[in-house]
Amino acid sequence: MLQPLSPESRALVDTGRQFFIPNYKPRDMILDRGQGARLWDLDGNEYLDLGGGIAVNCLGHQDPALLAALEAQAKKLWHTSNVYFTEPAIRLAAELVTASGFASRVFFCNSGAEANEAAIKLARRYATQHLAPSQRRILTFHGSFHGRTLATVTATAQPKYQEGFEPLPGGFVYGPFNDVTGATQLIDAHTCAVLVEPVQGEGGVLPAAPGFLAALRAACDKVGALLIFDEVQCGIGRTGKLFGHEWDGVRPDALTLAKALGGGMPIGALLAAPKVEEVLGFGTHGSTFGGNPLACAVARAVLARVSDAGFLAGVQRQAERLRAGLHELGMRHDLFREIRGRGLMIGAVLNSRWQGKATDITEFAREDGVLILQAGPDVLRFVPPLTLTDEELDSALARLSTTFARLPAPAQS
Ligand SMILES: *Cc1c(COP(=O)(O)O)cnc(C)c1O
């Protein structure tokens, strides 16, 4: 169990509660430093980090190569804007193009929402240039998550993220995820693009069913619509392949990245296939911080490590171990209906006894020194550093065993 908050930490927490706009609800702790998959708070408590800053810290905390890349760049140049070239951004763009196997050009920005915003603008601009005036709708999927800007929250087909922000931008249509017939019948002469996560993240850690992305690809090709993959969460090695869609063997026309791309530095990217590489022409779009040399220098080090076949094999190996461990704990404590996901993007779906209890369970786990996330009220989400060691994994499972054993029995319904 944790040391209680010291008076100093309590005061700092209270100050945070006072001065932040209350859109978040951070727990009663102040994280202070990290190493590998471990974090420590100001009161000296140690946590195993199975949330990875929401699938961001792909190489854990204080990775020596990332630190060296950041330090070296910090001593040279921090920011120039896109009025000028810098070497880290140029090299990262070329390396992403090569690694992608489908893209020919890249646009850099600072977040997932911003990358998806760029993808949405690219789709509309493509429609303006190449499609009929009536062909402007973008299909997205129930349970998706694409960000919090007005356009991306509209693309996010979940009412809880949209309510109260009307009027929302028009031209979005929502379809059923993993339902080939239901989805493809919505791809018609009005559709300019389909935006989809190869593995839905926030919506419950749900991979695309076999054949679903291929069916979307075929339906898009039939009407000339673009297929855009949101790999903000499932990209950059998370699933055990560099890109989540590699499991399905389906190529997109554009793809968005963010979260793990910078290993903790804020960076997003839109990758464009040759067919759409010229769509966002001079002056059509931009971002002051996009392609920031600090973020790009670190992202290059991330990409170099994560694209290695041996590294990706390690992700798959740890994913199997974590899944097996969770399965065993779930059986012992009658917790989970299903364990799903791909690679180190794992969702443990609570069974009916524990329905709606994900928030409570993550807090109990924190008290035992394990940070886990949820994806909705019924799914525990595990997106740890991809570098998770055997020792870190075993310690985390041992602590979770304690947590699951002491959960108060849910009220019988
Ligand atoms: C997190 C996420 C986003 C939004 O990214 P931000 O950096 O928070 O704007 C978009 N799409 C997916 C799939 C995500 O998981």
Side-chain angles (χ1 to χ4, degrees):
M1 291 290 271
L2 305 180
Q3 293 296 312
L5 277 180
S6 64
E8 296 76 24
S9 300
R10 165 55 65 194
L12 209 47
V13 164
D14 289 344
T15 305
R17 299 252 151 86
Q18 179 182 353
F19 288 109
F20 286 141
I21 284 175
N23 60 313
Y24 303 117
K25 199 174 172 186
R27 305 295 165 83
D28 276 0
M29 65 175 169
I30 312 270
L31 290 175
D32 184 49
R33 64 194 173 87
Q35 183 71 53
R38 282 188 161 80
L39 287 162
W40 287 267
D41 68 18
L42 276 181
D43 298 313
N45 294 304
E46 180 209 273
Y47 305 88
L48 283 152
D49 181 10
L50 298 189
I54 317 189
V56 166
N57 298 108
C58 57
L59 301 186
H61 304 278
Q62 296 293 304
D63 177 83
L66 299 197
L67 194 58
L70 180 62
E71 265 178 357
Q73 188 58 42
K75 288 175 179 157
K76 296 206 311 185
L77 186 63
W78 287 22
H79 174 81
T80 61
S81 88
N82 289 292
V83 176
Y84 311 102
F85 276 129
T86 64
E87 182 175 357
I90 294 172
R91 296 211 183 279
L92 178 62
E95 286 155 5
L96 278 171
V97 161
T98 303
S100 76
F102 78 91
S104 51
R105 291 181 185 269
V106 179
F107 167 79
F108 286 124
C109 51
N110 310 285
S111 70
E114 210 189 334
N116 285 329
E117 190 82 28
I120 290 164
K121 287 181 74 177
L122 178 141
R124 289 277 169 70
R125 197 86 184 178
Y126 177 80
T128 302
Q129 294 164 356
H130 299 284
L131 304 177
S134 56
Q135 193 167 1
R136 302 194 69 80
R137 287 185 195 158
I138 298 173
L139 174 67
T140 65
F141 293 94
H142 298 300
S144 64
F145 183 84
H146 299 297
R148 301 288 202 144
T149 65
L150 266 184
T152 58
V153 90
T154 306
T156 296
Q158 299 195 62
K160 68 176 176 185
Y161 293 109
Q162 301 176 342
E163 273 159 17
F165 296 112
E166 301 82 359
L168 299 171
F172 289 89
V173 178
Y174 308 133
F177 188 66
N178 280 345
D179 172 349
V180 167
T181 311
T184 54
Q185 72 189 12
L186 292 169
I187 302 171
D188 59 20
H190 296 290
T191 313
C192 70
V194 173
L195 173 63
V196 62
E197 295 157 86
V199 184
Q200 284 194 341
E202 311 294 316
V205 192
L206 196 56
F212 183 64
L213 298 181
L216 295 180
R217 177 75 273 176
C220 283
D221 290 345
K222 208 186 280 178
V223 299
L226 302 178
L227 180 61
I228 304 170
F229 290 155
D230 178 348
E231 296 219 10
V232 168
Q233 189 159 161
C234 70
I236 309 296
R238 177 59 50 192
T239 66
K241 294 194 187 283
L242 183 59
F243 296 97
H245 70 271
E246 289 176 49
W247 290 98
D248 302 273
V250 177
R251 285 175 171 224
D253 300 303
L255 177 146
T256 55
L257 295 170
K259 291 199 165 88
L261 177 57
M265 288 295 282
I267 180 169
L270 168 66
L271 276 56
K275 176 175 160 183
V276 294
E277 67 170 21
E278 304 270 9
V279 169
L280 292 176
F282 176 67
T284 57
H285 193 54
S287 169
T288 299
F289 290 120
N292 173 281
L294 294 170
C296 288
V298 175
R300 290 188 65 205
V302 169
L303 188 64
R305 185 93 60 84
V306 172
S307 30
D308 177 73
F311 181 94
L312 292 169
V315 173
Q316 302 222 44
R317 178 176 166 275
Q318 294 309 64
E320 274 156 36
R321 291 191 71 228
L322 180 52
R323 270 182 98 114
L326 290 172
H327 178 78
E328 202 264 314
L329 289 179
M331 296 292 280
R332 201 183 322 154
H333 301 287
D334 188 19
L335 270 170
F336 305 133
R337 177 161 64 77
E338 182 190 6
I339 298 191
R340 67 192 182 197
R342 208 163 262 166
L344 280 173
M345 186 171 175
I346 298 173
V349 187
L350 297 169
N351 66 24
S352 57
R353 290 174 71 219
W354 299 94
Q355 212 157 11
K357 295 279 187 248
T359 308
D360 295 351
I361 295 174
T362 61
E363 179 57 13
F364 278 109
R366 188 186 73 83
E367 290 170 358
D368 292 323
V370 191
L371 303 184
I372 60 177
L373 300 169
Q374 61 189 102
D378 305 321
V379 180
L380 304 182
R381 176 169 39 152
F382 300 84
V383 280
L386 305 179
T387 48
L388 193 69
T389 65
D390 288 349
E391 184 276 324
E392 290 163 342
L393 197 160
D394 292 340
S395 302
L397 287 171
R399 293 181 194 184
L400 285 176
S401 173
T402 307
T403 301
F404 295 160
R406 74 183 181 93
L407 290 176
Q412 295 297 323
S413 54

PDB file of all heavy atoms in Angstrom, residues 111-114 116 145-147 197 202 230 232-233 258-259, ligand 1:
ATOM      1  N   SER A 111      -0.148  16.504 -32.276  1.00  0.00           N
ATOM      2  CA  SER A 111      -1.043  15.643 -31.501  1.00  0.00           C
ATOM      3  C   SER A 111      -1.853  14.777 -32.446  1.00  0.00           C
ATOM      4  O   SER A 111      -1.865  14.999 -33.668  1.00  0.00           O
ATOM      5  CB  SER A 111      -2.003  16.493 -30.660  1.00  0.00           C
ATOM      6  OG  SER A 111      -2.929  17.151 -31.512  1.00  0.00           O
ATOM      7  N   GLY A 112      -2.560  13.833 -31.857  1.00  0.00           N
ATOM      8  CA  GLY A 112      -3.413  12.956 -32.644  1.00  0.00           C
ATOM      9  C   GLY A 112      -4.584  13.692 -33.259  1.00  0.00           C
ATOM     10  O   GLY A 112      -4.918  13.482 -34.433  1.00  0.00           O
ATOM     11  N   ALA A 113      -5.210  14.538 -32.467  1.00  0.00           N
ATOM     12  CA  ALA A 113      -6.352  15.292 -32.996  1.00  0.00           C
ATOM     13  C   ALA A 113      -5.907  16.150 -34.168  1.00  0.00           C
ATOM     14  O   ALA A 113      -6.613  16.237 -35.190  1.00  0.00           O
ATOM     15  CB  ALA A 113      -6.952  16.169 -31.896  1.00  0.00           C
ATOM     16  N   GLU A 114      -4.752  16.741 -34.032  1.00  0.00           N
ATOM     17  CA  GLU A 114      -4.272  17.622 -35.092  1.00  0.00           C
ATOM     18  C   GLU A 114      -3.927  16.823 -36.354  1.00  0.00           C
ATOM     19  O   GLU A 114      -4.128  17.299 -37.484  1.00  0.00           O
ATOM     20  CB  GLU A 114      -3.042  18.387 -34.587  1.00  0.00           C
ATOM     21  CG  GLU A 114      -2.874  19.748 -35.200  1.00  0.00           C
ATOM     22  CD  GLU A 114      -1.538  20.385 -34.853  1.00  0.00           C
ATOM     23  OE1 GLU A 114      -0.966  20.049 -33.795  1.00  0.00           O
ATOM     24  OE2 GLU A 114      -1.074  21.216 -35.642  1.00  0.00           O
ATOM     25  N   ASN A 116      -5.443  14.004 -37.228  1.00  0.00           N
ATOM     26  CA  ASN A 116      -6.730  13.627 -37.830  1.00  0.00           C
ATOM     27  C   ASN A 116      -7.423  14.827 -38.465  1.00  0.00           C
ATOM     28  O   ASN A 116      -8.088  14.701 -39.498  1.00  0.00           O
ATOM     29  CB  ASN A 116      -7.638  12.977 -36.787  1.00  0.00           C
ATOM     30  CG  ASN A 116      -7.203  11.556 -36.475  1.00  0.00           C
ATOM     31  OD1 ASN A 116      -6.670  10.874 -37.348  1.00  0.00           O
ATOM     32  ND2 ASN A 116      -7.416  11.111 -35.257  1.00  0.00           N
ATOM     33  N   PHE A 145     -12.582   6.717 -31.667  1.00  0.00           N
ATOM     34  CA  PHE A 145     -12.088   7.932 -31.019  1.00  0.00           C
ATOM     35  C   PHE A 145     -11.050   8.570 -31.928  1.00  0.00           C
ATOM     36  O   PHE A 145     -10.072   7.924 -32.309  1.00  0.00           O
ATOM     37  CB  PHE A 145     -11.469   7.648 -29.647  1.00  0.00           C
ATOM     38  CG  PHE A 145     -11.036   8.907 -28.951  1.00  0.00           C
ATOM     39  CD1 PHE A 145     -11.948   9.665 -28.218  1.00  0.00           C
ATOM     40  CD2 PHE A 145      -9.738   9.371 -29.070  1.00  0.00           C
ATOM     41  CE1 PHE A 145     -11.557  10.853 -27.606  1.00  0.00           C
ATOM     42  CE2 PHE A 145      -9.342  10.562 -28.462  1.00  0.00           C
ATOM     43  CZ  PHE A 145     -10.253  11.303 -27.730  1.00  0.00           C
ATOM     44  N   HIS A 146     -11.281   9.839 -32.273  1.00  0.00           N
ATOM     45  CA  HIS A 146     -10.362  10.508 -33.191  1.00  0.00           C
ATOM     46  C   HIS A 146      -9.830  11.831 -32.659  1.00  0.00           C
ATOM     47  O   HIS A 146      -9.062  12.497 -33.349  1.00  0.00           O
ATOM     48  CB  HIS A 146     -11.037  10.715 -34.541  1.00  0.00           C
ATOM     49  CG  HIS A 146     -11.447   9.427 -35.204  1.00  0.00           C
ATOM     50  ND1 HIS A 146     -10.526   8.477 -35.596  1.00  0.00           N
ATOM     51  CD2 HIS A 146     -12.671   8.907 -35.488  1.00  0.00           C
ATOM     52  CE1 HIS A 146     -11.176   7.432 -36.135  1.00  0.00           C
ATOM     53  NE2 HIS A 146     -12.469   7.664 -36.069  1.00  0.00           N
ATOM     54  N   GLY A 147     -10.247  12.244 -31.446  1.00  0.00           N
ATOM     55  CA  GLY A 147      -9.691  13.464 -30.870  1.00  0.00           C
ATOM     56  C   GLY A 147     -10.773  14.387 -30.342  1.00  0.00           C
ATOM     57  O   GLY A 147     -11.963  14.062 -30.369  1.00  0.00           O
ATOM     58  N   GLU A 197      -9.970   3.290 -37.147  1.00  0.00           N
ATOM     59  CA  GLU A 197      -8.852   2.767 -36.359  1.00  0.00           C
ATOM     60  C   GLU A 197      -8.714   1.262 -36.636  1.00  0.00           C
ATOM     61  O   GLU A 197      -9.664   0.520 -36.392  1.00  0.00           O
ATOM     62  CB  GLU A 197      -9.121   2.939 -34.858  1.00  0.00           C
ATOM     63  CG  GLU A 197      -9.202   4.357 -34.349  1.00  0.00           C
ATOM     64  CD  GLU A 197     -10.016   4.420 -33.047  1.00  0.00           C
ATOM     65  OE1 GLU A 197      -9.440   4.215 -31.970  1.00  0.00           O
ATOM     66  OE2 GLU A 197     -11.231   4.657 -33.118  1.00  0.00           O
ATOM     67  N   GLU A 202      -9.774   3.862 -27.406  1.00  0.00           N
ATOM     68  CA  GLU A 202     -10.615   4.405 -26.331  1.00  0.00           C
ATOM     69  C   GLU A 202     -11.976   3.713 -26.283  1.00  0.00           C
ATOM     70  O   GLU A 202     -12.588   3.603 -25.231  1.00  0.00           O
ATOM     71  CB  GLU A 202     -10.848   5.913 -26.520  1.00  0.00           C
ATOM     72  CG  GLU A 202      -9.614   6.736 -26.785  1.00  0.00           C
ATOM     73  CD  GLU A 202      -8.663   6.758 -25.613  1.00  0.00           C
ATOM     74  OE1 GLU A 202      -9.105   6.922 -24.469  1.00  0.00           O
ATOM     75  OE2 GLU A 202      -7.467   6.572 -25.853  1.00  0.00           O
ATOM     76  N   ASP A 230      -6.558   5.733 -38.739  1.00  0.00           N
ATOM     77  CA  ASP A 230      -6.126   6.452 -37.543  1.00  0.00           C
ATOM     78  C   ASP A 230      -5.305   5.475 -36.701  1.00  0.00           C
ATOM     79  O   ASP A 230      -5.858   4.613 -36.009  1.00  0.00           O
ATOM     80  CB  ASP A 230      -7.353   6.964 -36.771  1.00  0.00           C
ATOM     81  CG  ASP A 230      -6.967   7.674 -35.479  1.00  0.00           C
ATOM     82  OD1 ASP A 230      -5.797   7.583 -35.061  1.00  0.00           O
ATOM     83  OD2 ASP A 230      -7.853   8.326 -34.884  1.00  0.00           O
ATOM     84  N   VAL A 232      -3.125   6.532 -34.425  1.00  0.00           N
ATOM     85  CA  VAL A 232      -2.578   7.356 -33.349  1.00  0.00           C
ATOM     86  C   VAL A 232      -2.255   6.490 -32.126  1.00  0.00           C
ATOM     87  O   VAL A 232      -1.237   6.687 -31.468  1.00  0.00           O
ATOM     88  CB  VAL A 232      -3.569   8.488 -32.992  1.00  0.00           C
ATOM     89  CG1 VAL A 232      -3.171   9.172 -31.689  1.00  0.00           C
ATOM     90  CG2 VAL A 232      -3.637   9.507 -34.125  1.00  0.00           C
ATOM     91  N   GLN A 233      -3.107   5.493 -31.864  1.00  0.00           N
ATOM     92  CA  GLN A 233      -2.847   4.632 -30.701  1.00  0.00           C
ATOM     93  C   GLN A 233      -2.224   3.291 -31.103  1.00  0.00           C
ATOM     94  O   GLN A 233      -1.345   2.782 -30.414  1.00  0.00           O
ATOM     95  CB  GLN A 233      -4.153   4.388 -29.920  1.00  0.00           C
ATOM     96  CG  GLN A 233      -3.923   3.692 -28.596  1.00  0.00           C
ATOM     97  CD  GLN A 233      -5.055   3.876 -27.591  1.00  0.00           C
ATOM     98  OE1 GLN A 233      -5.170   3.126 -26.644  1.00  0.00           O
ATOM     99  NE2 GLN A 233      -5.885   4.882 -27.764  1.00  0.00           N
ATOM    100  N   ALA A 258       0.520   9.639 -33.754  1.00  0.00           N
ATOM    101  CA  ALA A 258       0.882  10.619 -32.723  1.00  0.00           C
ATOM    102  C   ALA A 258       1.410   9.812 -31.531  1.00  0.00           C
ATOM    103  O   ALA A 258       2.479   9.214 -31.637  1.00  0.00           O
ATOM    104  CB  ALA A 258      -0.272  11.528 -32.330  1.00  0.00           C
ATOM    105  N   LYS A 259       0.636   9.756 -30.472  1.00  0.00           N
ATOM    106  CA  LYS A 259       0.996   9.111 -29.209  1.00  0.00           C
ATOM    107  C   LYS A 259       2.447   8.600 -29.110  1.00  0.00           C
ATOM    108  O   LYS A 259       3.309   9.311 -28.648  1.00  0.00           O
ATOM    109  CB  LYS A 259      -0.008   8.003 -28.894  1.00  0.00           C
ATOM    110  CG  LYS A 259      -1.391   8.593 -28.539  1.00  0.00           C
ATOM    111  CD  LYS A 259      -2.271   7.623 -27.794  1.00  0.00           C
ATOM    112  CE  LYS A 259      -3.447   8.341 -27.148  1.00  0.00           C
ATOM    113  NZ  LYS A 259      -4.627   8.480 -27.988  1.00  0.00           N
TER     114      LYS A 259
HETATM  115  C1  LIG B   1      -5.536   9.524 -28.448  1.00  0.00           C
HETATM  116  C2  LIG B   1      -6.130   9.359 -29.799  1.00  0.00           C
HETATM  117  C3  LIG B   1      -6.415  10.465 -30.616  1.00  0.00           C
HETATM  118  C4  LIG B   1      -6.223  11.880 -30.133  1.00  0.00           C
HETATM  119  O1  LIG B   1      -4.899  12.167 -29.889  1.00  0.00           O
HETATM  120  P1  LIG B   1      -4.518  13.501 -29.052  1.00  0.00           P
HETATM  121  O2  LIG B   1      -3.027  13.525 -29.115  1.00  0.00           O
HETATM  122  O3  LIG B   1      -5.061  13.312 -27.668  1.00  0.00           O
HETATM  123  O4  LIG B   1      -5.148  14.639 -29.742  1.00  0.00           O
HETATM  124  C5  LIG B   1      -6.892  10.224 -31.884  1.00  0.00           C
HETATM  125  N1  LIG B   1      -7.094   8.981 -32.332  1.00  0.00           N
HETATM  126  C6  LIG B   1      -6.844   7.893 -31.579  1.00  0.00           C
HETATM  127  C7  LIG B   1      -7.067   6.539 -32.135  1.00  0.00           C
HETATM  128  C8  LIG B   1      -6.368   8.048 -30.272  1.00  0.00           C
HETATM  129  O5  LIG B   1      -6.153   6.972 -29.515  1.00  0.00           O
END
